[in-house]
Amino acid sequence: MIDAEQLADAFAPDYGHARGKFLAAAEAAGAELSALLHPERGRGGEELALDLAWVGSRSSSHVLVVASGTHGGEGFMGSGLQVQLLRDLAGDAGGAVEAELQREFSILFVHAHNPHGFSWVRRVNEDNIDLNRNFVDFGSRVPANATYADLHDWLVPEDWGGPSFEAAERAIAEWVAQRGEGAFYAAVGGGQYTHADGLFYGGTAPSWTRRSVAQLCARHLTGTARVSLLDLHTGLGPRAYGELIYAGAPESAEHQRLRGILGDDVTCPAAGTSSSPPVSGTIDHGYREVVGAERFTGVVLEVGTLPLVEVLAAHRRDAVLWKYGDPRSAEGDATRSGMRAAMFGEEPEWQVPVQRRFQELVERFARSR
């Protein structure tokens, strides 16, 4: 059983320290390292990168991609879990995972799909794009969400805590009373492609991350018989509970493969069994497109933090800050503190069960045939 203090050391206070811990742990584990550098610098002027660490044989028939930071600051959890697993493998504490790495199984650690958002403690990237809405076909009609347009001005008011905010809260409460809470969260969280300064915005073209995912897949995953993706997320569901979410069609062969590997508790938004609403353009599409649907299996580990109303409030406050305020101000610091709380649990009672859940999932993938 892992020591809580030891586990706490795997997590980091900011992106720069998280990246440093990851690279050090990967090197100690004998990983093959590479990186895709981001064109911008981070909040502290630091280099930003999507870092890759390959552990295992290059001739493995099954590669598990363990990815963190798709939603920026959610990387606090994902990076820490990656670091702890790498430390376990380096210190001969990898157990069943380490044993399988000697056979036909390898792990590709993808650290910080969204390094800019990680550095600034945001969900979104440098263009306010939610990467889990960006992987759509921009050459055809993007998914419509007319209801979001009705809510946008209330979701991102001109101030946070002032008259505009108070009026917006009253309007939202009235809307929810008439239409229902479920309709509200579906309209807000489902994604939208019309308001570039809004919430859950999917963009108008492939993001830097989307292009980078295509590159890393082409370089590392095209010759493998099987590729699995475990994408690490936070913010939905009961605190410290790790929900397994499959974003595709419930009747698909991929969904059945996942259930065979991970069990019947795999949920599916399209089937109405998940804490997440159905969304379009999730990042697994980027991997599936290059690897091939018949060889790919993707799932999200979604860990609950705060109640949903508080998580959404943190994201709304962040959007207000970046539209109307100064991200480097005292208000910016307060907003980032709220975002971290919405994305990460500081206490051992949150971190320890999350790590156990993650370890169990990696072992199941490692043993699957």
Side-chain angles (χ1 to χ4, degrees):
M1 184 178 297
I2 192 165
D3 177 79
E5 185 175 345
Q6 175 189 4
L7 176 60
D9 182 68
F11 300 107
D14 54 43
Y15 167 77
H17 284 89
R19 187 187 186 204
K21 287 174 183 279
F22 175 80
L23 294 176
E27 185 175 3
E32 177 186 335
L33 285 164
S34 58
L36 296 167
L37 298 183
H38 195 280
E40 297 189 15
R41 309 294 288 190
R43 178 163 59 100
E46 75 274 24
E47 180 180 75
L48 301 176
L50 193 163
D51 289 295
L52 306 171
W54 182 288
V55 179
S57 172
R58 277 289 181 179
S59 61
S60 297
S61 60
H62 182 198
V63 178
L64 172 63
V65 179
V66 177
S68 68
T70 299
H71 285 146
E74 293 179 20
F76 287 114
M77 180 196 78
S79 175
L81 294 179
Q82 291 175 318
V83 167
Q84 187 58 54
L85 178 55
L86 285 164
R87 288 177 176 177
D88 288 344
L89 295 174
D92 296 324
V97 176
E98 188 171 12
E100 294 297 334
L101 285 170
Q102 308 303 317
R103 301 188 179 105
E104 293 298 316
F105 177 71
S106 294
I107 302 176
L108 175 61
F109 294 86
V110 179
H111 186 267
H113 273 143
N114 177 10
H116 188 276
F118 197 165
S119 178
W120 283 95
V121 199
R122 305 194 74 201
R123 175 186 176 96
V124 295
N125 77 349
E126 60 277 7
D127 298 312
N128 198 49
I129 291 173
D130 183 327
L131 296 178
N132 251 1
R133 311 294 186 272
N134 184 242
F135 288 73
V136 295
D137 181 2
F138 288 105
S140 61
R141 181 176 297 179
V142 297
N145 184 355
T147 307
Y148 177 86
D150 297 335
L151 298 168
H152 172 75
D153 289 342
W154 303 332
L155 292 169
V156 190
E158 295 180 5
D159 55 50
W160 190 258
S164 176
F165 170 80
E166 293 174 358
E169 291 298 276
R170 290 192 295 269
I172 289 173
E174 182 177 346
W175 194 98
V176 170
Q178 294 176 355
R179 305 280 292 275
E181 192 174 77
F184 173 75
Y185 284 113
V188 176
Q192 53 90 15
Y193 299 84
T194 54
H195 293 72
D197 56 358
L199 300 178
F200 306 100
Y201 171 63
T204 58
S207 61
W208 175 85
T209 295
R210 180 170 175 175
R211 299 192 300 272
S212 297
V213 166
Q215 290 181 52
L216 76 88
C217 287
R219 293 179 188 176
H220 298 284
L221 301 174
T222 54
T224 305
R226 292 176 57 207
V227 174
S228 300
L229 170 67
L230 178 57
D231 196 19
L232 304 173
H233 287 256
T234 62
L236 287 178
R239 189 168 181 81
Y241 175 74
E243 179 185 353
L244 297 172
I245 302 176
Y246 171 63
E251 68 276 9
S252 69
E254 184 179 345
H255 189 204
Q256 296 308 309
R257 288 197 300 271
L258 267 176
R259 289 166 62 91
I261 297 169
L262 302 179
D264 293 339
D265 61 343
V266 176
T267 69
C268 181
T273 59
S274 174
S275 63
S276 170
V279 299
S280 300
T282 51
I283 203 166
D284 52 292
H285 288 290
Y287 287 88
R288 190 180 295 107
E289 183 178 25
V290 178
V291 171
E294 71 285 352
R295 298 191 297 119
F296 178 80
T297 304
V299 71
V300 164
L301 174 62
E302 180 77 50
V303 179
T305 52
L306 301 177
L308 182 56
V309 64
E310 296 180 35
V311 173
L312 180 58
H315 292 305
R316 291 176 61 203
R317 183 178 181 179
D318 176 71
V320 171
L321 171 74
W322 282 77
K323 182 175 181 179
Y324 295 108
D326 178 5
R328 294 192 179 277
S329 65
E331 174 62 19
D333 292 338
T335 300
R336 281 185 288 277
S337 178
M339 286 290 287
R340 181 176 169 99
M343 294 175 163
F344 183 67
E346 308 287 352
E347 72 278 10
E349 292 78 12
W350 190 88
Q351 296 174 1
V352 171
V354 167
Q355 190 276 336
R356 289 175 182 163
R357 176 69 155 156
F358 170 70
Q359 182 73 23
E360 172 197 9
L361 297 175
V362 175
E363 289 179 0
R364 288 191 188 184
F365 276 114
R367 293 191 179 110
S368 67
R369 294 291 182 265

